[in-house]
Amino acid sequence: MRIKLTLAYDGTDFCGWQSQKNGRSVQQEVEEAVFKLTGKRAKVTGSGRTDAGVHAVGQVAHLDTDFPCPAQKFYKALNPLLPGDVKALSSEEAPAGFNACASAKKKTYRYSFYVTETENPLYMRYAARVYPAPDEALMKAACAEFIGEHDFAAFRASGSSAKTTVRTVYGAEITKSCGVTFLTVCGSGFLYNMVRIMAGAIIGAGQGRLSAEDIRAALENGARPKEIKTMPACGLCLMSAEYF
């Protein structure tokens, strides 16, 4: 039986989703919990490989097991065996041919930041500090430049191994709540550090360090302006993966 899991985790103390020899990963913790529950090793495949320090509230994963437990109750049996910073929110039997990574059609990420001159200890694990305050109208104008299908070569980290850098962004919007600003981005898929670099461009535009035209030019020529910073991992959260 193939089980589809939805997971949430605080990425602060993880080296990322993917198992690594020298580091604590989310995948490893989930696979160890599955082994403790079922007595058998099983690979747990996630919808995306979130990086070190990145969080998730809607990471989707799949695994195969013959453990005699109804699929919709599997997550309840698994949770007591998981550490406090990663939990399964739901489980169900996956349809034939389902693959948490390959079957995903859309993914949504949210980047969170707050504006203050000094760090706020109540925010710093889950949001990046920004100062001075960016202009909201300028950020929204910058967001609009990313909508549609583009070559995002200028918006990836150097370690990216993607076969193509063309991606489609379906939405990018700015919202605010309780002193925190959120950049929510939905797309067909994302390159290594792409959302964090997009966030750097949008915040930079809001602070007047570059313009929407600079972003448009970077998408067209593949060269990233030095004014675009890669924002810290703490502000990034995988919200959901969608399957049609």
Side-chain angles (χ1 to χ4, degrees), residues 11 29 38 45-46 107 121 202 210 242:
E29 291 285 6
T38 68
T45 300
K107 294 177 187 176
I202 291 165
L210 71 158
E242 297 180 49

Side-chain angles (χ1 to χ4, degrees), residues 52-55 111-113 119 124 126-130 193 195-197 199-200 203 229-237:
V54 175
H55 315 294
Y111 196 85
S112 306
F113 63 93
E119 293 281 4
M124 59 192 299
Y126 307 110
R129 183 182 69 85
V130 169
N193 281 356
V195 178
R196 290 166 59 190
I197 298 169
I203 293 168
K229 301 178 181 179
T230 302
M231 295 298 292
C234 64
L236 188 60
C237 184

Side-chain angles (χ1 to χ4, degrees), residues 2-6 60-63 90-94 98 243:
R2 177 156 291 188
I3 290 179
K4 175 185 174 185
L5 285 173
T6 300
V60 176
H62 79 259
L63 65 115
S90 66
S91 59
E92 60 185 278
E93 185 170 357
F98 176 82
Y243 304 86

